[in-house]
Amino acid sequence: MNPTETTAWKSLSEHRREMESVHMRDLFARDPERFKRFSISFADTLFDYSKNRITEETLRLLFDLADEMDLPGWIERMFAGGKINVTEHRAVLHTALRNLPENPVYVDGENVMPRIEAVLAKMRDFTRSLHRGDLRGFSGQAVTDVVNIGIGGSDLGPHMVTEALKPYHRRGIRIHFVSNVDATHLMEILRRIRPETTLFIVASKTFTTQETLTNARSARRWLVEFSGSEDAVTRHFAAVSANPEAVWKFGIDPHNRFDIWDWVGGRYSLWSAIGLPIACAVGMEAFEELLAGAHEVDEHFRGTPFDRNIPVIMAMLGIWYRNFFGAPTHAILPYTEYLHLFPAYLQQLDMESNGKSIDRDGNRITGYQTGPVIWGKPGTNGQHAFYQLIHQGTQPVPADFILTLDPQNPDGDHHRILTAHFLAQTEALLKGRNVPEALHRAFDGNRPTNSILIDRLTPRSLGRLIALYEHKIFVQGIVWNINSFDQWGVELGKQLAGTILEELRSDTPLSGHDGSTTGLIDHIRRKK
Ligand code: F6P
């Protein structure tokens, strides 16, 4: 179904014209209840969406659009294990990973909950041994450093969460993340650790990802050189993968493999054993708190009417700006340093999910846009870098401002200053400033923002925050009629890189490339 053919889409196009001349300043002036009307409290999170270019009518039409695209039906299909990832014939069940064990979820007639519980139990044993100092390397010394080797979803999620939960880290264990195939990434970490006390987790769902396997082989070589024996690999390597044969071939003890399944998408996998480095950092109890927070949001998403449903509202506001105001990007601006990787994590989550131009029925999409570019950085740093464009640029940039209220590092007036900036920015974007005598100093205002206020950044509240965005992305994918759960767009580059790698290794004449690529390869070969 093409969303532009719905009745709601047509009404929204008309409504957009009516809203052109409406300034949010006036909407607030007219309605003293606007903040109350357009904000929702959920657990320790306040979601304020009143600073948007919307009225009750806008929301009604947006919810009509979601209904016409059968959002309620799709939500149920996802949670029930329907194979909604149609191009890969897979269920989409990251929600099962944080489900209560007594609630069965079926894939091909099998309840997947016991498998999930078994992996959680294995993670519990493993992390308990690590934290007790019982995990020992080839020399008998206890493991002190864990290096996660993975990329994309096997890196960004666990890395972001591990950074965000630094105040919860267990003493005596340091966690490192290697993702880039640029050897610098690995080498800079190897310089800081000792082979005798290091555990490598090779995190790769497919166990075929070239970057990860290259890094893992180099790490193994480093270990074996120091230890003098291949035997050390058993004690120093674990894997998270759905590919047992490849793990075994690599030389990792099958007992040290943590399972993951095809119904867990890479970018949705931090809740699975891909989250093992998180559990190594903060302990299994805190990891399960993270799961519990996400589960709360799953329940909220599944059971709340659209007009009180935070992910649905976040998604439909995004659609309002992307499709009816032509906003090409969406900014994520966390005012808490611990969330500094959150924008980068959301980039993969959102852009790999919704950066699509073929619809769910296999047709090329024409007449509407799909996923925006996601970007951002923590405030206040961003204020001194790119906020100029958000305030005065020619394109609208809807933005999510995220603030935690209870600072983890209270010191003097820092947090009050941070909070003042947070509030000042969203107010300035809303109100603008009229300076008729000097237009360059004037601000139009009327620039939309959401404010997400979280009492304290805990494993549970972080679980909630991430799940809100996961479901937001799902809703947008449904409305745009795309499959948010495949990623065929990454394949061509991988294939070409394979051919080019062979050409870089040899001097054989080049063929089949465009002139630019041929010229560049020639240049690189001469320089080497
Ligand atoms: O190339 C993209 C991708 O397939 C992501 O979707 C995925 O998260 C990442 O690569 C890593 O994949 P794997 O866990 O199989 O190594």
Side-chain angles (χ1 to χ4, degrees):
M1 150 91 111
N2 180 333
T4 62
E5 285 164 16
T6 59
T7 313
W9 191 283
K10 288 168 197 141
S11 308
L12 280 161
S13 302
E14 270 168 41
H15 180 64
R16 162 71 181 94
R17 283 191 282 280
E18 290 156 23
M19 290 298 285
E20 181 60 34
S21 54
V22 175
H23 200 291
M24 281 192 273
R25 259 188 327 247
D26 303 320
L27 295 175
F28 273 96
R30 248 185 267 149
D31 179 7
E33 297 292 301
R34 185 172 170 88
F35 171 71
K36 234 200 229 159
R37 194 184 310 284
F38 295 138
S39 60
I40 299 173
S41 281
F42 176 71
D44 71 343
T45 302
L46 174 71
F47 174 58
D48 168 27
Y49 58 105
S50 59
K51 291 189 181 89
N52 277 291
R53 295 180 65 173
I54 55 164
T55 61
E56 298 267 17
E57 169 74 352
T58 321
L59 287 173
R60 192 183 58 73
L61 293 173
L62 287 169
F63 299 144
D64 285 350
L65 174 60
D67 271 325
E68 280 191 73
M69 296 307 290
D70 188 27
L71 178 60
W74 284 102
I75 293 175
E76 275 321 298
R77 282 192 277 285
M78 176 172 72
F79 277 91
K83 297 206 172 165
I84 63 170
N85 176 356
V86 284
T87 58
E88 296 179 312
H89 313 290
R90 289 177 182 167
V92 173
L93 277 179
H94 44 283
T95 51
L97 299 168
R98 58 246 186 163
N99 182 27
L100 302 178
E102 58 272 23
N103 297 340
V105 178
Y106 293 94
V107 176
D108 293 328
E110 182 205 347
N111 177 13
V112 296
M113 291 314 297
R115 288 200 204 200
I116 294 171
E117 287 308 304
V119 172
L120 283 171
K122 188 166 170 166
M123 289 170 72
R124 241 172 257 133
D125 287 347
F126 186 83
T127 48
R128 198 176 299 132
S129 301
L130 172 72
H131 295 135
R132 283 193 184 144
D134 293 344
L135 270 192
R136 288 172 186 271
F138 64 87
S139 72
Q141 292 181 60
V143 169
T144 56
D145 289 84
V146 176
V147 181
N148 188 79
I149 300 179
I151 198 164
S154 301
D155 167 75
L156 286 163
H159 196 178
M160 181 275 288
V161 172
T162 301
E163 282 292 300
L165 297 181
K166 263 200 178 135
Y168 296 85
H169 281 206
R170 296 292 186 101
R171 288 236 181 96
I173 303 290
R174 288 174 297 274
I175 314 290
H176 314 267
F177 289 85
V178 175
S179 51
N180 200 337
V181 76
D182 180 345
T184 300
H185 204 177
L186 177 66
M187 294 308 157
E188 283 295 334
I189 288 168
L190 295 187
R191 276 180 199 129
R192 285 188 268 137
I193 57 179
R194 296 168 54 228
E196 300 92 312
T197 53
T198 297
L199 173 85
F200 293 98
I201 301 174
V202 186
S204 178
K205 182 176 152 186
T206 55
F207 226 78
T208 58
T209 304
Q210 188 186 39
E211 294 94 321
T212 299
L213 291 183
T214 304
N215 278 323
R217 280 189 212 106
S218 301
R220 184 177 59 186
R221 204 172 46 240
W222 176 79
L223 172 78
V224 171
E225 266 169 25
F226 273 93
S227 68
S229 164
E230 287 279 340
D231 295 349
V233 175
T234 309
R235 289 181 170 271
H236 289 266
F237 272 78
V240 183
S241 183
N243 185 347
E245 291 80 23
V247 170
W248 179 77
K249 270 198 195 139
F250 184 90
I252 296 177
D253 185 340
H255 291 108
N256 291 347
R257 182 181 72 88
F258 292 79
D259 213 358
I260 173 174
W261 309 276
D262 71 357
W263 36 264
V264 181
R267 53 193 173 275
Y268 296 86
S269 65
L270 71 89
W271 322 99
S272 71
I274 290 289
L276 186 60
I278 305 172
C280 290
V282 298
M284 212 42 205
E285 266 178 40
F287 182 72
E288 289 180 77
E289 275 287 292
L290 184 83
L291 302 184
H295 179 69
E296 284 177 28
V297 168
D298 294 342
E299 300 274 282
H300 165 85
F301 177 52
R302 201 175 181 183
T304 311
F306 288 171
D307 62 352
R308 305 302 296 159
N309 192 318
I310 301 176
V312 171
I313 295 171
M314 287 167 79
M316 298 316 292
L317 290 172
I319 283 173
W320 180 226
Y321 297 120
R322 182 78 181 116
N323 298 115
F324 298 93
F325 287 77
T329 80
H330 186 105
I332 306 292
L333 308 170
Y335 277 63
T336 169
E337 194 57 29
Y338 284 128
L339 286 176
H340 71 104
L341 291 181
F342 195 55
Y345 159 76
L346 281 185
Q347 261 174 357
Q348 188 202 11
L349 191 66
D350 199 318
M351 293 168 75
E352 206 174 68
S353 295
N354 286 345
K356 309 281 164 71
S357 54
I358 301 298
D359 71 17
R360 227 184 288 116
D361 310 306
N363 303 314
R364 180 164 297 284
I365 291 172
T366 52
Y368 65 97
Q369 300 291 341
T370 59
V373 172
I374 301 293
W375 62 287
K377 258 197 182 307
T380 61
N381 289 14
Q383 292 172 203
H384 298 272
F386 51 76
Y387 277 38
Q388 164 65 38
L389 184 147
I390 304 182
H391 283 285
Q392 286 190 320
T394 48
Q395 296 172 344
V397 183
D400 293 351
F401 281 69
I402 304 168
L403 178 71
T404 51
L405 302 186
D406 190 0
Q408 313 268 23
N409 297 292
D411 189 38
D413 228 9
H414 284 254
H415 192 260
R416 205 168 291 122
I417 294 171
L418 181 75
T419 306
H421 279 286
F422 174 97
L423 295 169
Q425 289 299 326
T426 57
E427 183 167 41
L429 287 164
L430 152 67
K431 282 188 175 166
R433 183 173 66 186
N434 198 5
V435 188
E437 71 282 9
L439 268 184
H440 59 278
R441 288 201 284 118
F443 293 72
D444 299 334
N446 216 17
R447 301 199 172 212
T449 61
N450 293 317
S451 296
I452 301 176
L453 270 50
I454 300 168
D455 287 354
R456 192 176 171 83
L457 194 59
T458 61
R460 194 176 270 256
S461 66
L462 182 62
R464 287 189 202 110
L465 181 70
I466 300 168
L468 286 175
Y469 278 95
E470 283 181 343
H471 293 319
K472 168 200 166 173
I473 291 163
F474 169 79
V475 172
Q476 293 189 331
I478 295 307
V479 174
W480 287 324
N481 191 28
I482 54 179
N483 176 7
S484 301
F485 299 102
D486 61 9
Q487 57 284 320
W488 296 100
V490 301
E491 292 303 322
L492 178 59
K494 285 185 192 173
Q495 278 163 24
L496 292 182
T499 311
I500 292 173
L501 179 61
E502 290 311 315
E503 289 166 343
L504 290 175
R505 282 179 176 144
S506 70
D507 284 326
T508 48
L510 301 174
S511 68
H513 295 294
D514 60 89
S516 164
T517 308
T518 303
L520 292 170
I521 296 175
D522 267 337
H523 178 85
I524 293 164
R525 276 175 165 183
R526 273 200 306 277
K527 291 279 171 184
K528 295 268 172 178

